[in-house]
């Protein structure tokens, strides 16, 4: 039987980054991935600001495409913020996870592909992890001092199938990867495009992202709740195909693949962060921002934090992970709560006219302001647009008053 300091279940960005940090620190780590190859669950849109590459020491080989313009399109409004230099990247989700896994093996860790987590249990004070090799059905036991749940929304390690879980805010997304001619692709190769409003996606948003190699990601995501203005919505697939037919009008394309998934977010970050020597990271503790659904860099940052506590636990400096839970709550709760409330309002409560006006009054903001709002959640920047909207409302009221006074 093999023994490890740490066994991490799930080789997504959070699991891979946690394993990477721990192996770099000299820990004996096993990273377990249920799929035989990373290309089998290539489900993330993966748009991120440029500093993500520097912050996590990621090479350009994990980048699908760089982008330098931001576009927001509503039912009746089209706004574009241009930059002379790149603002961000669309990561290649497969290559990102492959890179992290390679980093783990380079520093002496092990990566087991095609192994499914079954259960864990204690035996003589040791934690045993039961894995099943998917291709052969063979059951394998390994022993570990720390077990990490990086299984994402399924939270397969931290919660048994019958265990009660927090009330989740859930969302569903679907995305096509399409291939265009080189000439057509160049028209979209620099733009990160978001679609809002009742026409494009009443309960969420849609997107078109450049992916390099003449390919675009075209997707839609929605919250699984009712809308105050729209009684009946179409299928997610219908909204994706609406982008293909009504926005990418008459452009020949080939569908390379399509994929979808579900997001489960614990409002107030009330997930279970640890139990004894088990610790959860990434989407297993709601490390995704509900305003835009962005989770990769947050999951990786969360993994860095967790790795520090795991090292302290292994060295005997701490006896539990209470400090980890406290730090995550202090770091994220306020911003995540603001983002959640803004997302619920924008996606479920706003009229189409309100969405149009909201985006229209962003037009005088700089690309730096829009980046800060979308990726840093710096909502104070909205005041610049808000003041102009307020002046407009006051002028309209004043005009009506003057008209009324003249009539009387």
């Amino acid at each position: 039987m093999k023994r490890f300091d740490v066994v991490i279940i799930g080789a997504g960005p959070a699991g891979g980054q946690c394993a990477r940090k721990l192996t770099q620190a000299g820990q004996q780590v096993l990273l377990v991935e249920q799929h035989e190859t990373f290309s089998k669950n290539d489900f993330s849109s993966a748009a991120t600001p440029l500093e993500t590459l520097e912050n996590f020491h990621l090479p350009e080989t994990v980048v699908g495409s760089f982008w330098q313009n931001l576009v927001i399109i509503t039912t009746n409004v089209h706004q574009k913020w241009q930059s002379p230099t790149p603002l961000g990247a669309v990561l290649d989700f497969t290559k990102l996870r492959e890179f992290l896994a390679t980093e783990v093996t380079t520093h002496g860790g092990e990566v087991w592909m095609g192994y499914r987590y079954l259960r864990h249990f204690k035996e003589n004070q040791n934690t045993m992890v039961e894995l099943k090799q998917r291709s052969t059905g063979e059951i394998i036991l390994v022993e570990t001092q720390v077990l990490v749940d990086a299984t994402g929304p399924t939270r397969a390690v931290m919660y048994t199938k019958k265990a009660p879980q927090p009330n989740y805010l859930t969302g569903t997304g679907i995305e096509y990867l399409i291939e265009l001619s080189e000439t057509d692709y160049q028209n979209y190769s620099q733009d990160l495009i978001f679609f809002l409003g009742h026409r494009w996606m009443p309960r969420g948003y849609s997107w078109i992202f450049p992916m390099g190699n003449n390919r675009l990601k075209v997707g839609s995501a929605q919250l699984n709740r009712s809308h105050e203005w729209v009684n009946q919505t179409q299928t997610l697939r219908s909204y994706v195909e609406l982008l293909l037919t009504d926005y990418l009008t008459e452009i020949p394309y080939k569908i390379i693949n399509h994929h979808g998934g579900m997001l489960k977010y614990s409002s107030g970050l009330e997930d279970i962060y640890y139990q004894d020597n088990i610790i959860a990271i990434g989407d297993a503790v709601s490390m995704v921002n509900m305003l835009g659904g962005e989770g990769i860099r947050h999951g990786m940052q969360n993994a860095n934090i967790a790795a520090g506590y795991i090292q302290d636990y292994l060295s005997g400096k701490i006896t539990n992970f209470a400090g980890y839970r406290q730090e995550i709550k202090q770091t994220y709760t306020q911003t995540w709560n603001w983002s959640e409330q803004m997302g619920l309002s924008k996606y479920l409560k706003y009229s189409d006219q309100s969405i149009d006006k909201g985006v229209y009054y962003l037009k005088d903001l700089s690309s730096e302001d829009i980046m800060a709002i979308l990726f840093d959640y710096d909502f104070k920047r909205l005041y610049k647009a808000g003041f102009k909207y307020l002046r407009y409302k006051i002028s309209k009221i004043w005009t009506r008053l003057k008209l009324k006074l003249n009539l009387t």
Side-chain angles (χ1 to χ4, degrees):
M1 180 190 300
K2 285 205 167 188
R3 294 172 174 81
F4 298 90
D5 297 326
V6 185
V7 171
I8 300 172
I9 308 297
Q17 178 65 13
C18 187
R20 178 193 191 193
K21 293 289 288 186
L22 290 170
T23 54
Q24 288 174 345
Q27 307 297 340
Q28 294 299 309
V29 177
L30 170 62
L31 179 62
V32 180
E33 169 58 39
Q34 66 172 327
H35 297 281
E36 289 84 358
T37 69
F38 286 116
S39 62
K40 287 196 173 182
N41 60 337
D42 185 17
F43 60 83
S44 177
S45 299
T48 192
L50 204 58
E51 57 265 27
T52 299
L53 300 178
E54 180 180 355
N55 292 343
F56 297 104
H57 307 289
L58 300 177
E60 288 193 16
T61 54
V62 307
V63 174
S65 178
F66 291 98
W67 49 269
Q68 60 190 58
N69 305 316
L70 279 162
V71 182
I72 300 180
I73 297 172
T74 69
T75 301
N76 299 296
V77 176
H78 184 295
Q79 298 289 358
K80 184 172 185 175
W81 294 266
Q82 294 180 291
S83 169
T85 58
L87 296 173
V90 179
L91 302 177
D92 186 312
F93 198 58
T94 295
K95 291 181 180 178
L96 171 64
R97 290 171 297 145
E98 286 177 342
F99 167 75
L100 295 174
T102 299
E103 287 275 281
V104 172
T105 57
T106 298
H107 290 92
E110 295 190 31
V111 179
W112 291 6
M113 304 294 295
Y115 284 80
R116 187 165 67 89
Y117 166 82
L118 296 179
R119 65 184 182 118
H120 66 274
F121 57 92
K122 283 292 184 70
E123 186 176 275
N124 300 324
Q125 302 304 311
N126 299 318
T127 297
M128 315 301 295
V129 183
E130 192 173 277
L131 307 170
K132 182 178 181 179
Q133 189 174 30
R134 298 185 68 153
S135 60
T136 66
E138 181 185 3
I139 305 297
I140 297 176
L141 279 177
V142 296
E143 181 182 325
T144 185
Q145 295 185 60
V146 175
L147 178 59
V148 180
D149 186 345
T151 61
T154 60
R155 296 161 167 85
V157 178
M158 194 58 73
Y159 299 93
T160 63
K161 291 183 179 179
K162 296 182 179 180
Q165 297 190 24
N167 291 321
Y168 295 120
L169 176 62
T170 65
T172 310
I174 187 171
E175 184 175 64
Y176 288 13
L177 179 65
I178 66 170
E179 187 173 75
L180 316 174
S181 70
E182 183 175 357
T183 300
D184 289 330
Y185 175 75
Q186 290 305 316
N187 294 325
Y188 305 95
S189 62
Q190 303 297 320
D191 297 346
L192 203 66
I193 310 175
F194 296 94
F195 297 82
L196 301 173
H198 297 180
R199 178 189 181 191
W200 300 112
M201 170 43 68
R203 291 187 287 152
Y205 69 98
S206 298
W207 62 88
I208 296 177
F209 294 168
M211 195 58 197
N213 297 320
N214 301 329
R215 295 180 175 186
L216 298 175
K217 288 188 169 185
V218 183
S220 291
Q222 66 180 13
L223 294 176
N224 298 324
R225 289 190 179 183
S226 60
H227 196 286
E228 290 192 7
W229 292 81
V230 182
N231 294 325
Q232 185 173 0
T233 59
Q234 305 300 314
T235 64
L236 274 174
R237 189 180 298 274
S238 297
Y239 289 108
V240 174
E241 293 178 353
L242 180 66
L243 296 179
L244 297 174
T245 57
D246 284 25
Y247 187 77
L248 300 175
T249 310
E250 298 182 356
I251 296 178
Y253 64 87
K254 175 184 177 181
I255 298 177
I256 304 301
N257 66 43
H258 57 84
H259 45 262
M262 176 175 285
L263 181 70
K264 291 168 62 178
Y265 170 83
S266 173
S267 182
L269 300 181
E270 294 303 319
D271 285 296
I272 296 177
Y273 289 78
Y274 71 97
Q275 289 179 335
D276 192 19
N277 63 333
I278 306 169
I279 183 172
I281 63 173
D283 284 355
V285 284
S286 303
M287 286 292 98
V288 58
N289 186 276
M290 281 307 299
L291 181 61
E294 187 196 7
I296 287 179
R297 63 189 172 113
H298 304 307
M300 293 178 71
Q301 181 58 42
N302 166 247
N304 285 351
I305 295 171
Y309 283 92
I310 292 170
Q311 290 180 65
D312 287 345
Y313 182 90
L314 292 171
S315 66
K317 293 180 180 179
I318 59 175
T319 58
N320 61 54
F321 295 111
Y324 163 69
R325 178 183 184 276
Q326 182 179 5
E327 182 171 348
I328 295 302
K329 298 272 279 188
Q330 289 176 343
T331 302
Y332 291 95
T333 300
Q334 187 177 56
T335 301
W336 259 224
N337 285 346
W338 288 342
S339 298
E340 178 188 346
Q341 292 308 310
M342 289 191 69
L344 289 174
S345 295
K346 181 171 69 174
Y347 301 140
L348 301 178
K349 298 180 180 180
Y350 282 9
S351 68
D352 214 26
Q353 185 180 31
S354 295
I355 295 172
D356 286 343
K357 285 183 177 179
V359 173
Y360 175 77
Y361 286 107
L362 295 176
K363 68 184 180 69
D364 292 328
L365 297 183
S366 66
S367 58
E368 179 185 355
D369 289 326
I370 298 299
M371 286 291 293
I373 293 167
L374 292 179
F375 292 104
D376 298 331
Y377 320 115
D378 182 2
F379 303 127
K380 296 189 294 295
R381 306 278 183 129
L382 291 171
Y383 294 152
K384 293 182 181 180
F387 285 138
K388 182 172 182 179
Y389 179 64
L390 181 60
R391 289 197 300 270
Y392 164 78
K393 295 292 287 185
I394 291 173
S395 68
K396 295 286 285 186
I397 293 171
W398 177 239
T399 300
R400 287 198 297 267
L401 281 173
K402 286 196 297 183
L403 180 61
K404 184 176 181 180
L405 289 172
N406 289 336
L407 289 174
T408 57

